[in-house]
Amino acid sequence: MRKIPFIFLCMLVLSSCSLFKGKIKPYPEGVIFPLEKDEELIYEGEIIEFAYLVKDRLFFSTRTGMVYCMDVLNRIIHWEFKIKQNFKSRIYPGKDNLYVVDNTNQLFSISLEGDLNWKSQISGRVTSGIIEYDNNVYLGTAAGSFFAYDRSTGENKWRFKVEKGIHSHPAADSGSVFFGCDDQKIYSLDHEGNLRFTLDCGEKIRSYLLIDGKRLYFSTDDDHIYCYDLNKRHRKWKVKCGAPIRTPFFYDKKRLLFVSWDSVLYCLNRKNGHILWWNVVPSRSSYSMETVKDKLVVSSMSAVIRCFDIDTGKIIGNYQENKEIRSNPVWYSPFLLVNVYDKGEDKGKLVFLKKEIKVILSPSAVSPSKVNEEI
């Protein structure tokens, strides 16, 4: 019987020791550098700027008039949609549709299953971005016409005319649609096409517009970025950058991030415009950025993908392809997807990148060891 308390005491000591053991760190998740190539999926033509992921389907357009849907789970071309004319238009995603414009200024609405919903001839050369909001599709032209089309039928619902060209990417909320113009103004229209107000900006607006609650963010061609209070209709702040901004804005609760045309990545405080950090990317960029947990992945007009710590701006890693990267990076766990282009063969490649795995064997005992000693 005396053995029982002794055994119990030993068990208690051993269990208490286990409580003080350091916890094993979980294996890190997300994109991990260095990266290595896992596989390539080849397609015809050169991708145009933007790839869009929905679940396990990746959508993009090429300059040869193709719209592709890639099944990235099974790594096959799921469907392709051919347009007779070539085009320079990237795809613009809607809720259940994709929009592209060909070189004859026809607007196509294509379902996510690769079927043509409708096409409409636009009066004028389309020079703006395209957005869908509720049942409207919005775009602008070089001649200064801003159009709304019915999302379901492609019917032109209304047109709003300004004096100069529209080259910005519009933005919309429940009450308004906004676009920037070469006449140096931001226009706010209701969804019936009636003018609500204008903002005088003093320079052409050819950037993406971003609405976040009651704040509007945009940049002008004199290298400034602005934040406007839409309730009070006055400027909250402006910041001078080194060059115009052609990338979409990325934002979270506290930060606003973008790449200027002089290859500088900025991170600003959204509330007051203060620069939290900045760093450089390999080249100019017009591509959207990808966030994976606490990391920011950026592609530019080079062969290099660069990854940053989103809190500090510190460079975490680089990956270099043998061809120039031609679109935004896309995270499809556990792979980072990028597109490259071979001009000689006129073929694109969707590249699957994964974390590089290296195995290193190291002895647990100090060398030299005794004969027959276990290590």
Side-chain angles (χ1 to χ4, degrees), residues 66-323:
M66 299 292 294
V67 178
Y68 282 101
C69 172
M70 300 294 190
D71 180 339
V72 291
L73 176 62
N74 297 302
R75 303 190 184 186
I76 59 172
I77 298 175
H78 186 57
W79 57 255
E80 52 189 60
F81 184 94
K82 174 66 177 175
I83 295 174
K84 292 181 181 179
Q85 294 285 335
N86 289 356
F87 48 80
K88 299 179 181 178
S89 167
R90 49 160 278 193
I91 59 165
Y92 294 93
K95 182 179 179 181
D96 302 305
N97 306 311
L98 307 168
Y99 300 98
V100 291
V101 178
D102 70 9
N103 285 351
T104 66
N105 296 299
Q106 283 194 102
L107 173 64
F108 293 79
S109 171
I110 303 166
S111 78
L112 298 185
E113 296 304 318
D115 300 315
L116 177 66
N117 296 319
W118 49 261
K119 60 181 178 180
S120 292
Q121 184 65 50
I122 310 299
S123 177
R125 182 166 60 90
V126 178
T127 50
S128 77
I130 301 169
I131 63 167
E132 176 192 290
Y133 191 87
D134 284 344
N135 201 40
N136 286 352
V137 180
Y138 297 108
L139 57 86
T141 69
S145 291
F146 190 76
F147 291 101
Y149 287 84
D150 187 280
R151 170 184 174 272
S152 302
T153 65
E155 177 187 0
N156 179 216
K157 299 175 74 170
W158 51 260
R159 181 185 76 153
F160 185 86
K161 190 71 174 70
V162 292
E163 294 300 318
K164 292 191 177 182
I166 302 168
H167 295 85
S168 64
H169 192 286
D173 61 13
S174 59
S176 302
V177 58
F178 297 84
F179 67 90
C181 182
D182 282 0
D183 66 5
Q184 305 181 1
K185 295 178 182 178
I186 296 277
Y187 289 82
S188 172
L189 313 179
D190 65 25
H191 291 290
E192 302 301 317
N194 303 304
L195 179 65
R196 296 182 64 242
F197 61 87
T198 62
L199 301 174
D200 293 314
C201 304
E203 186 54 81
K204 295 176 182 178
I205 303 101
R206 293 189 166 191
S207 72
Y208 285 77
L209 275 62
L210 170 66
I211 298 175
D212 173 29
K214 293 302 177 182
R215 291 190 176 191
L216 176 69
Y217 301 92
F218 61 91
S219 70
T220 53
D221 269 17
D222 62 351
D223 310 340
H224 285 89
I225 180 168
Y226 290 83
C227 172
Y228 267 80
D229 185 314
L230 294 176
N231 279 339
K232 299 178 180 179
R233 298 182 189 177
H234 76 85
R235 188 182 75 210
K236 294 283 292 183
W237 53 259
K238 76 172 182 177
V239 173
K240 173 71 172 177
C241 301
I245 300 160
R246 294 292 181 258
T247 58
F249 297 108
F250 169 80
Y251 72 103
D252 58 20
K253 291 182 178 180
K254 296 181 180 180
R255 295 169 290 211
L256 185 74
L257 296 105
F258 55 88
V259 179
S260 60
W261 203 234
D262 58 351
S263 309
V264 177
L265 170 63
Y266 289 90
C267 177
L268 305 186
N269 183 311
R270 278 177 44 207
K271 184 177 180 179
N272 52 32
H274 292 167
I275 298 175
L276 300 176
W277 56 260
W278 63 269
N279 213 323
V280 295
V281 297
S283 183
R284 292 176 170 180
S285 180
S286 58
Y287 307 133
S288 55
M289 296 173 278
E290 182 72 294
T291 55
V292 188
K293 295 187 178 297
D294 57 348
K295 300 179 179 68
L296 183 74
V297 186
V298 181
S299 60
S300 59
M301 297 174 185
S302 72
V304 178
I305 289 279
R306 182 159 289 174
C307 183
F308 300 86
D309 183 293
I310 198 168
D311 292 320
T312 65
K314 180 182 177 181
I315 297 174
I316 294 173
N318 293 287
Y319 172 80
Q320 183 158 352
E321 262 290 339
N322 55 6
K323 300 286 184 181

Side-chain angles (χ1 to χ4, degrees), residues 16-34:
S16 64
C17 289
S18 66
L19 291 175
F20 293 98
K21 285 183 179 179
K23 290 185 177 180
I24 298 174
K25 292 182 179 180
Y27 193 78
E29 297 179 353
V31 60
I32 302 170
F33 282 75

Side-chain angles (χ1 to χ4, degrees), residues 321-332:
E321 262 290 339
N322 55 6
K323 300 286 184 181
E324 184 178 306
I325 294 165
R326 294 297 181 94
S327 74
N328 55 301
V330 175
W331 176 247
Y332 178 75

